[in-house]
Amino acid sequence: MKKKYLLLLAAAGLIASAAMVGTFASGYVESGTVLQNISEKSLGISVLSGDTKNNGSTISEIKVVPGGTTSLDYRVLNDRKGGYDLYTRVTVHFGWSKDTLADAEAKKSHVVLKMNGKAYPLVKSYENQIKIGDWIVAYCDSEEAVLYYSKPLAYGETASFLDEITFDTDMGNQYADAHFLLDIDAAAVQADNSDDAIAAEWGVFPHFEKEILMSVSETRS
């Protein structure tokens, strides 16, 4: 589950590969307004930040301001007119751009990612997953967060998952020239037959109550 930052950059080159029944999407946010979108047949998912369309780079570089806050507007969108309602999973990879940062130093809790005004919680395993609003935080450590949206998204509907990053005031000088990196992957499966689709495509087993995704498990109960 846990990813080393060196693998983050290697993974960036693979983002353009879309799953057969899902999609991969990523966005680059130095300006704060981007959309990059890859869709497959009648299933479409996009990652948006702001309102400007841009199919450029896939890694977001956020300048570090000790004690400062960077406002973001990351959302997923069902973008396929006439397509399926869908369930979506978002994976947020994050780390530091500066190689001179020691591994132990880079893992300190100097950064807080927020969703709907609430900090991403530390979630060590799927068994300890936490719900924030309509999102399930199934896993979250110092390098990666795995989120599942609990409701099906119809065409044109969006769901916000990252709106703010806050940096601690006591960050050392070693962060002076560093940037905080974000790499976001979004995938989707159609809402019809979602039990089988989620298990087949994402390797987890969902538990639903009246179309609401209540939890996911890495083992079948």
Side-chain angles (χ1 to χ4, degrees):
M1 180 64 67
K2 197 170 183 180
K3 297 180 180 290
K4 288 293 183 183
Y5 173 61
L6 290 177
L7 296 179
L8 178 68
L9 295 178
L14 301 177
I15 289 173
S17 298
M20 287 299 293
V21 300
T23 48
F24 243 168
S26 295
Y28 173 82
V29 184
E30 190 152 3
S31 64
T33 54
V34 227
L35 179 153
Q36 183 171 348
N37 161 25
I38 303 171
S39 297
E40 185 88 16
K41 295 184 179 178
S42 293
L43 197 69
I45 190 74
S46 296
V47 173
L48 290 82
S49 177
D51 302 311
T52 302
K53 295 183 179 180
N54 185 335
N55 293 323
S57 302
T58 57
I59 298 290
S60 306
E61 295 189 5
I62 299 172
K63 186 176 181 179
V64 177
V65 181
T69 294
T70 298
S71 296
L72 301 172
D73 186 19
Y74 273 110
R75 294 161 285 145
V76 284
L77 164 72
N78 182 341
D79 65 358
R80 184 53 57 93
K81 187 175 182 179
Y84 299 106
D85 289 0
L86 54 83
Y87 290 98
T88 185
R89 179 192 66 187
V90 172
T91 305
V92 183
H93 308 283
F94 41 92
W96 296 98
S97 64
K98 195 173 180 182
D99 293 337
T100 56
L101 287 175
D103 195 48
E105 177 68 20
K107 293 181 186 302
K108 288 183 179 178
S109 300
H110 289 306
V111 184
V112 177
L113 281 67
K114 292 185 178 180
M115 175 199 313
N116 301 324
K118 295 184 178 180
Y120 279 30
L122 178 64
V123 180
K124 294 183 178 180
S125 70
Y126 274 51
E127 287 72 24
N128 303 116
Q129 60 197 252
I130 294 173
K131 197 169 184 182
I132 298 180
D134 292 323
W135 286 93
I136 296 169
V137 183
Y139 183 85
C140 185
D141 64 7
S142 61
E143 298 175 326
E144 178 185 78
V146 183
L147 317 171
Y148 294 83
Y149 194 61
S150 61
K151 296 180 178 180
L153 284 174
Y155 167 67
E157 290 184 336
T158 64
S160 175
F161 62 90
L162 180 59
D163 50 42
E164 188 176 283
I165 293 180
T166 300
F167 299 100
D168 285 351
T169 56
D170 60 350
M171 299 173 72
N173 291 332
Q174 61 269 45
Y175 290 91
D177 298 321
H179 286 76
F180 191 68
L181 304 182
L182 290 172
D183 185 6
I184 298 173
D185 303 335
V189 298
Q190 68 187 60
D192 294 340
N193 301 314
S194 53
D195 291 71
D196 293 337
I198 288 175
E201 294 303 314
W202 299 342
V204 295
F205 301 97
H207 170 60
F208 289 97
E209 290 185 7
K210 296 182 178 179
E211 296 189 338
I212 301 299
L213 181 61
M214 304 302 293
S215 63
V216 291
S217 175
E218 292 184 297
T219 57
R220 189 185 295 276
S221 58

mmCIF file of all heavy atoms in Angstrom, residues 64-69 96 105 107-114 165-172 175:
data_model
loop_
_atom_site.group_PDB
_atom_site.id
_atom_site.type_symbol
_atom_site.label_atom_id
_atom_site.label_comp_id
_atom_site.label_asym_id
_atom_site.label_seq_id
_atom_site.Cartn_x
_atom_site.Cartn_y
_atom_site.Cartn_z
ATOM 1 N N VAL A 64 6.080 25.806 -0.908
ATOM 2 C CA VAL A 64 5.958 25.690 0.535
ATOM 3 C C VAL A 64 6.053 27.072 1.178
ATOM 4 O O VAL A 64 7.012 27.807 0.951
ATOM 5 C CB VAL A 64 7.053 24.765 1.108
ATOM 6 C CG1 VAL A 64 6.969 24.717 2.620
ATOM 7 C CG2 VAL A 64 6.921 23.367 0.521
ATOM 8 N N VAL A 65 5.064 27.417 1.970
ATOM 9 C CA VAL A 65 5.069 28.649 2.737
ATOM 10 C C VAL A 65 4.850 28.272 4.206
ATOM 11 O O VAL A 65 3.723 27.967 4.606
ATOM 12 C CB VAL A 65 3.962 29.619 2.280
ATOM 13 C CG1 VAL A 65 4.009 30.906 3.102
ATOM 14 C CG2 VAL A 65 4.088 29.918 0.795
ATOM 15 N N PRO A 66 5.930 28.219 5.024
ATOM 16 C CA PRO A 66 5.760 27.843 6.434
ATOM 17 C C PRO A 66 4.692 28.684 7.124
ATOM 18 O O PRO A 66 4.700 29.911 7.035
ATOM 19 C CB PRO A 66 7.145 28.100 7.031
ATOM 20 C CG PRO A 66 8.079 27.922 5.876
ATOM 21 C CD PRO A 66 7.339 28.483 4.689
ATOM 22 N N GLY A 67 3.754 28.011 7.748
ATOM 23 C CA GLY A 67 2.663 28.697 8.413
ATOM 24 C C GLY A 67 1.561 29.152 7.484
ATOM 25 O O GLY A 67 0.559 29.724 7.930
ATOM 26 N N GLY A 68 1.725 28.877 6.192
ATOM 27 C CA GLY A 68 0.750 29.341 5.207
ATOM 28 C C GLY A 68 -0.238 28.258 4.799
ATOM 29 O O GLY A 68 -0.081 27.082 5.112
ATOM 30 N N THR A 69 -1.260 28.677 4.072
ATOM 31 C CA THR A 69 -2.300 27.781 3.579
ATOM 32 C C THR A 69 -2.480 27.999 2.085
ATOM 33 O O THR A 69 -2.529 29.145 1.622
ATOM 34 C CB THR A 69 -3.635 28.042 4.303
ATOM 35 O OG1 THR A 69 -3.499 27.699 5.682
ATOM 36 C CG2 THR A 69 -4.753 27.207 3.699
ATOM 37 N N TRP A 96 7.795 15.201 -1.409
ATOM 38 C CA TRP A 96 8.614 16.404 -1.526
ATOM 39 C C TRP A 96 9.489 16.355 -2.767
ATOM 40 O O TRP A 96 9.965 15.304 -3.165
ATOM 41 C CB TRP A 96 9.487 16.578 -0.283
ATOM 42 C CG TRP A 96 8.678 16.792 0.946
ATOM 43 C CD1 TRP A 96 8.333 15.853 1.874
ATOM 44 C CD2 TRP A 96 8.069 18.006 1.363
ATOM 45 N NE1 TRP A 96 7.545 16.423 2.855
ATOM 46 C CE2 TRP A 96 7.377 17.736 2.569
ATOM 47 C CE3 TRP A 96 8.052 19.311 0.843
ATOM 48 C CZ2 TRP A 96 6.666 18.717 3.257
ATOM 49 C CZ3 TRP A 96 7.350 20.282 1.536
ATOM 50 C CH2 TRP A 96 6.672 19.991 2.716
ATOM 51 N N GLU A 105 12.946 13.151 7.889
ATOM 52 C CA GLU A 105 12.486 14.537 7.985
ATOM 53 C C GLU A 105 11.256 14.762 7.113
ATOM 54 O O GLU A 105 10.301 15.419 7.507
ATOM 55 C CB GLU A 105 13.602 15.483 7.564
ATOM 56 C CG GLU A 105 13.222 16.960 7.563
ATOM 57 C CD GLU A 105 12.961 17.516 8.957
ATOM 58 O OE1 GLU A 105 13.425 16.897 9.932
ATOM 59 O OE2 GLU A 105 12.283 18.542 9.054
ATOM 60 N N LYS A 107 8.989 12.791 6.370
ATOM 61 C CA LYS A 107 7.804 12.109 6.863
ATOM 62 C C LYS A 107 7.181 12.792 8.080
ATOM 63 O O LYS A 107 6.137 12.356 8.567
ATOM 64 C CB LYS A 107 8.142 10.649 7.208
ATOM 65 C CG LYS A 107 8.492 9.819 5.985
ATOM 66 C CD LYS A 107 8.787 8.386 6.381
ATOM 67 C CE LYS A 107 9.286 7.585 5.189
ATOM 68 N NZ LYS A 107 8.340 7.579 4.078
ATOM 69 N N LYS A 108 7.808 13.854 8.565
ATOM 70 C CA LYS A 108 7.229 14.558 9.705
ATOM 71 C C LYS A 108 5.912 15.226 9.296
ATOM 72 O O LYS A 108 5.707 15.563 8.140
ATOM 73 C CB LYS A 108 8.217 15.601 10.239
ATOM 74 C CG LYS A 108 9.409 14.976 10.959
ATOM 75 C CD LYS A 108 10.310 16.044 11.535
ATOM 76 C CE LYS A 108 11.492 15.414 12.271
ATOM 77 N NZ LYS A 108 12.416 16.439 12.806
ATOM 78 N N SER A 109 5.063 15.431 10.277
ATOM 79 C CA SER A 109 3.729 15.957 9.985
ATOM 80 C C SER A 109 3.747 17.475 9.848
ATOM 81 O O SER A 109 3.150 18.202 10.643
ATOM 82 C CB SER A 109 2.755 15.527 11.081
ATOM 83 O OG SER A 109 2.675 14.137 11.164
ATOM 84 N N HIS A 110 4.441 17.949 8.809
ATOM 85 C CA HIS A 110 4.500 19.383 8.552
ATOM 86 C C HIS A 110 3.372 19.851 7.644
ATOM 87 O O HIS A 110 3.192 21.051 7.448
ATOM 88 C CB HIS A 110 5.832 19.759 7.900
ATOM 89 C CG HIS A 110 7.012 19.661 8.821
ATOM 90 N ND1 HIS A 110 7.062 20.301 10.037
ATOM 91 C CD2 HIS A 110 8.191 19.001 8.702
ATOM 92 C CE1 HIS A 110 8.222 20.048 10.624
ATOM 93 N NE2 HIS A 110 8.918 19.258 9.835
ATOM 94 N N VAL A 111 2.650 18.921 7.055
ATOM 95 C CA VAL A 111 1.653 19.250 6.045
ATOM 96 C C VAL A 111 0.316 18.628 6.424
ATOM 97 O O VAL A 111 0.260 17.468 6.830
ATOM 98 C CB VAL A 111 2.081 18.741 4.664
ATOM 99 C CG1 VAL A 111 1.082 19.175 3.598
ATOM 100 C CG2 VAL A 111 3.474 19.249 4.314
ATOM 101 N N VAL A 112 -0.745 19.402 6.281
ATOM 102 C CA VAL A 112 -2.095 18.891 6.526
ATOM 103 C C VAL A 112 -2.920 19.082 5.260
ATOM 104 O O VAL A 112 -3.070 20.207 4.775
ATOM 105 C CB VAL A 112 -2.767 19.619 7.707
ATOM 106 C CG1 VAL A 112 -4.199 19.123 7.901
ATOM 107 C CG2 VAL A 112 -1.960 19.429 8.989
ATOM 108 N N LEU A 113 -3.435 17.982 4.708
ATOM 109 C CA LEU A 113 -4.347 18.027 3.583
ATOM 110 C C LEU A 113 -5.772 18.010 4.124
ATOM 111 O O LEU A 113 -6.073 17.249 5.048
ATOM 112 C CB LEU A 113 -4.143 16.827 2.652
ATOM 113 C CG LEU A 113 -2.963 16.870 1.683
ATOM 114 C CD1 LEU A 113 -1.638 16.812 2.424
ATOM 115 C CD2 LEU A 113 -3.049 15.710 0.689
ATOM 116 N N LYS A 114 -6.643 18.830 3.546
ATOM 117 C CA LYS A 114 -8.001 18.932 4.070
ATOM 118 C C LYS A 114 -9.053 18.669 2.993
ATOM 119 O O LYS A 114 -8.889 19.044 1.835
ATOM 120 C CB LYS A 114 -8.228 20.322 4.686
ATOM 121 C CG LYS A 114 -7.414 20.572 5.944
ATOM 122 C CD LYS A 114 -7.758 21.907 6.582
ATOM 123 C CE LYS A 114 -6.970 22.120 7.867
ATOM 124 N NZ LYS A 114 -7.310 23.422 8.503
ATOM 125 N N ILE A 165 -4.352 22.891 1.681
ATOM 126 C CA ILE A 165 -3.126 22.334 2.255
ATOM 127 C C ILE A 165 -2.528 23.386 3.182
ATOM 128 O O ILE A 165 -2.370 24.545 2.801
ATOM 129 C CB ILE A 165 -2.106 21.955 1.170
ATOM 130 C CG1 ILE A 165 -2.642 20.785 0.332
ATOM 131 C CG2 ILE A 165 -0.771 21.575 1.783
ATOM 132 C CD1 ILE A 165 -1.703 20.336 -0.752
ATOM 133 N N THR A 166 -2.204 22.971 4.407
ATOM 134 C CA THR A 166 -1.641 23.873 5.406
ATOM 135 C C THR A 166 -0.244 23.399 5.797
ATOM 136 O O THR A 166 -0.024 22.206 5.994
ATOM 137 C CB THR A 166 -2.529 23.924 6.661
ATOM 138 O OG1 THR A 166 -3.832 24.388 6.296
ATOM 139 C CG2 THR A 166 -1.946 24.862 7.706
ATOM 140 N N PHE A 167 0.695 24.337 5.883
ATOM 141 C CA PHE A 167 2.075 24.031 6.260
ATOM 142 C C PHE A 167 2.355 24.547 7.669
ATOM 143 O O PHE A 167 1.943 25.652 8.032
ATOM 144 C CB PHE A 167 3.058 24.664 5.273
ATOM 145 C CG PHE A 167 2.888 24.177 3.864
ATOM 146 C CD1 PHE A 167 2.196 24.933 2.925
ATOM 147 C CD2 PHE A 167 3.408 22.959 3.467
ATOM 148 C CE1 PHE A 167 2.034 24.487 1.628
ATOM 149 C CE2 PHE A 167 3.239 22.494 2.168
ATOM 150 C CZ PHE A 167 2.553 23.264 1.242
ATOM 151 N N ASP A 168 3.078 23.756 8.474
ATOM 152 C CA ASP A 168 3.409 24.134 9.846
ATOM 153 C C ASP A 168 4.346 25.340 9.877
ATOM 154 O O ASP A 168 5.132 25.570 8.950
ATOM 155 C CB ASP A 168 4.086 22.973 10.583
ATOM 156 C CG ASP A 168 3.100 21.887 10.967
ATOM 157 O OD1 ASP A 168 1.883 22.117 10.816
ATOM 158 O OD2 ASP A 168 3.545 20.817 11.401
ATOM 159 N N THR A 169 4.276 26.073 10.967
ATOM 160 C CA THR A 169 5.135 27.260 11.116
ATOM 161 C C THR A 169 6.568 26.890 11.459
ATOM 162 O O THR A 169 7.486 27.689 11.233
ATOM 163 C CB THR A 169 4.582 28.172 12.231
ATOM 164 O OG1 THR A 169 4.476 27.409 13.447
ATOM 165 C CG2 THR A 169 3.209 28.706 11.864
ATOM 166 N N ASP A 170 6.803 25.686 12.015
ATOM 167 C CA ASP A 170 8.144 25.327 12.498
ATOM 168 C C ASP A 170 8.945 24.512 11.490
ATOM 169 O O ASP A 170 9.869 23.794 11.856
ATOM 170 C CB ASP A 170 8.038 24.558 13.814
ATOM 171 C CG ASP A 170 7.243 23.262 13.678
ATOM 172 O OD1 ASP A 170 6.618 23.067 12.611
ATOM 173 O OD2 ASP A 170 7.256 22.455 14.620
ATOM 174 N N MET A 171 8.625 24.610 10.218
ATOM 175 C CA MET A 171 9.399 23.909 9.197
ATOM 176 C C MET A 171 10.784 24.527 9.078
ATOM 177 O O MET A 171 10.936 25.745 9.073
ATOM 178 C CB MET A 171 8.669 23.964 7.850
ATOM 179 C CG MET A 171 7.297 23.302 7.893
ATOM 180 S SD MET A 171 6.345 23.522 6.372
ATOM 181 C CE MET A 171 7.241 22.431 5.283
ATOM 182 N N GLY A 172 11.819 23.679 8.969
ATOM 183 C CA GLY A 172 13.196 24.156 8.959
ATOM 184 C C GLY A 172 13.625 24.745 7.629
ATOM 185 O O GLY A 172 12.900 24.709 6.626
ATOM 186 N N TYR A 175 13.494 23.198 3.956
ATOM 187 C CA TYR A 175 12.313 23.234 3.101
ATOM 188 C C TYR A 175 12.245 24.496 2.244
ATOM 189 O O TYR A 175 11.294 24.681 1.481
ATOM 190 C CB TYR A 175 11.044 23.150 3.953
ATOM 191 C CG TYR A 175 10.829 21.798 4.590
ATOM 192 C CD1 TYR A 175 11.327 21.521 5.853
ATOM 193 C CD2 TYR A 175 10.139 20.790 3.921
ATOM 194 C CE1 TYR A 175 11.131 20.286 6.450
ATOM 195 C CE2 TYR A 175 9.937 19.556 4.500
ATOM 196 C CZ TYR A 175 10.437 19.303 5.765
ATOM 197 O OH TYR A 175 10.246 18.068 6.344
#
